[in-house]
């Protein structure tokens, strides 16, 4: 009888086994390898490596040059970083790319810093345009002028007697006499949004957003879907230049989602999108109405793929700090009265929902498993929101839903404590600190400014902070409104320095590492994608940026000048300097 295993068979088995071991030991070939760099991984230990290997759209290894070079095959592209710093791709927590993309298609929006520059621009426009044609500044904030004031009606009329002028500041604005004439705004018209002079009873030219609809503005130019997508593609390219590889589209709808999905299908996206959905319920808000609306949505937070995902459900709770319409903890005060034409000494700002309505919205959102967020720009609305969050939390925990407060700006000690307890994130705009902390200090005083962007206090209390710009219009990264250069933002968070060079409340400065986290891993957490991106680790998406300077060690003043020399999204180099 033959034995079941004969000697030649045994040799074959051993040979196959050795071959199998060899195959296991051999690392897979990478498509792309970066060596000789400073890889700031932003992992749990904030470790720094020398090299990284990428296969397809994924990071497969991070380590020493020697170790990573083992992943090189015949087809592998090897890039020598020559000592340059690499960070995880920047994730931006607050952008308006859809409006920004179109904002300078026809005309450049001026970057004015004084009343004189503003009036000179308006005058120039009157010479370029026919009489009666509107001159519009789409995002104008008087508190960003060195004078901290609106131009007067007389000043506007002196440079534009025959053209209607509208300086749109989102929550308030300024118009001239021609704009009033063309829009039928007369002394007799009584409207809460039309501000009138106490003595003469005549409109001052300052209007609140509730009166914007009275203006007979020219119809908005409509673009074909193709042109709109092309403009958006170019806007994303501008963002890529600053290392941005993912972004939160701050307010939109399922229609914007469809557009991004369409672009994704056409391989037009060079940044990943987390699309917030603006809740749209008309009239008096009740929970039934909100539920009815949420039932019509077939997706919730997180639905989608690694390119386009549904973000948080969003509402606008109050106005803005630059127009005196943010809802504060205390009355705005005397200085604000002069600047914004506020007469009521008890005026604290504008709030769009009653507590009852807010409770209806937030509890419905929580029941439907949405992550919820609200634009809240003053300490009063932060408190109101947290009060409602606390109540909702009683019936169903919000702790793992990653609710957030957009802007916030002013956070009291109690608010910070509550945010930490409830797991509520702070979606902050450091560029606002850079642009507006001086004006806020001037208007609200040295005491109240202490609670403005208290980043150190928040991190120490365990509150997650998310960095974003609220970029709305203009294309230049530093001159845009608001500046979307993340390195300018990081500079400001680290140095507490403003555009005017003032250092405000330096005890609230955070470290470079913490600021970088606010623009990477923290934002990955905010979108429930921390296992997918936000750090340079094996298994994560290969989204990275190679920088012009070492963000961890360069002189602090140089952080703001950093740009990306190479931006990689999903293993593809989508931007590089020549
Ligand atoms: Zn915004």
């Amino acid at each position: 009888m033959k034995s079941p295993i004969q000697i030649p068979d045994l040799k074959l088995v051993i040979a196959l086994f050795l071959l199998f071991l060899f195959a296991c030991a051999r690392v897979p070939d990478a498509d792309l390898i970066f060596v000789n760099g400073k890889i700031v991984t932003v992992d749990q230990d904030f470790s720094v490596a020398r090299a990284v290997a990428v296969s397809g759209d994924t990071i497969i290894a991070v380590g020493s040059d020697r170790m990573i070079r083992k992943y090189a095959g015949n087809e592998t592209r090897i890039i020598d970083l020559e000592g340059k710093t690499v960070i995880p791709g920047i994730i931006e927590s607050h952008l308006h790319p859809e409006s920004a993309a179109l904002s300078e298609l026809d005309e450049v929006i001026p970057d004015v810093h004084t009343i004189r520059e503003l009036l000179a621009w308006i005058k120039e426009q009157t010479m370029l345009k026919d009489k009666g044609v509107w001159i519009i500044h789409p995002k104008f904030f008087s508190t960003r002028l060195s004078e901290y004031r609106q131009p007067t009606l007389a000043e506007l009329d002196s440079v534009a007697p025959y053209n209607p002028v509208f300086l749109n500041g989102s929550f308030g604005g300024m118009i001239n006499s021609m704009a009033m004439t063309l829009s039928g705004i007369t002394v007799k018209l009584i409207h809460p949004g039309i501000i009138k002079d106490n003595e003469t009873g005549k409109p001052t030219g300052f209007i609140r957003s509730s009166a914007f609809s009275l203006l007979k503005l020219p119809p908005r130019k409509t673009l074909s879907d193709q042109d709109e997508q092309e403009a958006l593609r170019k806007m994303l390219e501008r963002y890529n230049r600053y290392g941005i590889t993912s972004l939160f589209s701050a307010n939109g709808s399922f229609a914007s989602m469809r557009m991004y999905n369409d672009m994704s299908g056409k391989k037009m996206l060079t940044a990943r999108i987390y699309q917030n959905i603006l809740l749209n319920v008309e009239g008096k808000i009740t929970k039934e109405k909100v539920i009815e609306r949420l039932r019509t949505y077939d997706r919730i937070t997180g639905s989608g793929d690694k390119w386009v995902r549904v973000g948080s459900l969003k509402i606008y709770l109050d106005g803005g700090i630059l127009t005196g319409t943010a809802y504060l903890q205390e009355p705005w005060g005397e200085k604000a009265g002069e600047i914004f034409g506020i007469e009521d000494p008890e005026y604290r700002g504008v709030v769009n929902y009653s507590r009852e309505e807010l409770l209806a919205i937030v509890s419905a959102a929580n029941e439907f498993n949405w992550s919820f967020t609200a634009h809240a720009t003053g300490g009063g609305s932060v408190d109101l929101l947290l009060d409602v969050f606390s109540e909702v939390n009683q019936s169903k925990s919000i702790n793992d839903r990653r609710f957030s407060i957009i802007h916030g700006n002013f956070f009291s000690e109690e608010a910070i404590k509550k945010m930490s307890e409830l797991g509520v994130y702070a979606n902050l705009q450091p560029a606002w600190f850079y642009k507006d902390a001086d004006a806020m200090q001037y208007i609200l005083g040295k005491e109240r400014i202490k609670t403005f962007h208290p980043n150190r206090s928040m991190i120490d209390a365990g509150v997650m902070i998310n960095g974003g710009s609220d970029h709305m219009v203009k294309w230049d990264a530093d001159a845009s409104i608001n500046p979307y250069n993340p390195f300018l933002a990081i500079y400001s968070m680290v140095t507490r320095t403003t555009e005017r060079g003032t250092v405000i409340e330096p005890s609230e400065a955070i470290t470079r590492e913490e600021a970088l986290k606010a623009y990477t891993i923290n934002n990955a957490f905010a979108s429930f994608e921390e296992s997918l991106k936000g750090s340079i680790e094996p298994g994560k998406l290969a989204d990275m940026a190679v920088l012009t300077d070492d963000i961890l060690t360069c002189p602090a003043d140089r952080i703001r000048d950093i740009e990306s020399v190479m931006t990689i999204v999903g293993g593809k180099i989508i931007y590089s300097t020549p």
Side-chain angles (χ1 to χ4, degrees), residues 94 96 250-251 314 316 375 406-407 470 472:
H94 194 111
H96 296 272
N251 55 311
K314 180 189 177 184
Y316 280 86
H375 161 114
I406 297 178
H407 314 309
D470 200 11
M472 298 182 279

Side-chain angles (χ1 to χ4, degrees), residues 9-160:
D9 289 339
L10 191 64
K11 270 186 184 165
L12 188 69
V13 169
I14 291 168
L16 283 172
F17 182 64
L18 287 175
L19 200 70
F20 170 71
L21 280 183
F22 180 73
C24 285
R26 168 124 183 80
V27 298
D29 285 357
D31 295 314
L32 186 62
I33 278 177
F34 294 93
V35 291
N36 189 25
K38 178 175 177 180
I39 317 291
V40 179
T41 64
V42 194
D43 64 4
Q44 192 74 46
D45 305 319
F46 217 89
S47 61
V48 173
R50 291 268 302 179
V52 54
V54 173
S55 175
D57 68 354
T58 308
I59 295 164
I60 53 170
V62 183
S64 66
D65 286 338
R66 230 180 97 165
M67 174 201 157
I68 295 301
R69 278 190 186 276
K70 288 188 186 148
Y71 289 84
N74 293 335
E75 306 285 309
T76 306
R77 182 172 175 195
I78 302 176
I79 294 177
D80 183 349
L81 292 164
E82 296 170 343
K84 286 203 165 58
T85 299
V86 181
I87 58 167
I90 294 280
I91 306 176
E92 235 285 354
S93 71
H94 194 111
L95 286 169
H96 296 272
E98 304 88 18
S99 60
L102 311 182
S103 65
E104 290 192 307
L105 273 184
D106 296 326
E107 291 175 299
V108 172
I109 299 165
D111 180 25
V112 292
H113 299 94
T114 61
I115 294 277
R116 208 166 63 107
E117 283 173 18
L118 172 74
L119 297 177
W121 170 73
I122 295 172
K123 187 155 190 167
E124 190 188 288
Q125 290 294 302
T126 63
M127 291 186 279
L128 297 169
K129 290 177 171 168
D130 289 337
K131 282 180 187 170
V133 174
W134 282 86
I135 298 168
I136 299 169
H137 191 304
K139 282 280 175 271
F140 173 79
F141 299 109
S142 63
T143 36
R144 286 194 176 162
L145 298 182
S146 61
E147 295 90 346
Y148 295 145
R149 70 165 175 89
Q150 291 282 0
T152 63
L153 184 57
E155 281 170 333
L156 288 183
D157 288 345
S158 73
V159 285

Side-chain angles (χ1 to χ4, degrees), residues 3 11 16 18 25 32 80 128 198 240 247 254 284 303 309 313 363 413 439 446 454 461 484 549 567:
S3 70
K11 270 186 184 165
L16 283 172
L18 287 175
L32 186 62
D80 183 349
L128 297 169
N198 249 357
N240 296 149
L247 61 90
F254 286 106
K284 171 106 181 92
S303 321
R309 233 180 257 283
L313 191 68
S363 57
E413 231 173 272
K446 291 222 156 115
Y484 61 82
D549 216 334
T567 306

Side-chain angles (χ1 to χ4, degrees), residues 279 281-290 315-317 351-365 372 384-385 388 392:
L279 178 70
V281 178
E282 271 155 33
K284 171 106 181 92
I285 309 274
T286 60
K287 190 166 171 183
E288 291 66 39
K289 261 191 182 172
V290 180
I315 59 154
Y316 280 86
L317 188 53
V351 66
N352 299 326
Y353 298 96
S354 66
R355 190 186 183 283
E356 197 190 351
E357 288 176 311
L358 192 59
L359 184 63
I361 294 169
V362 181
S363 57
F372 181 82
L384 173 60
L385 199 53
V388 167
V392 168

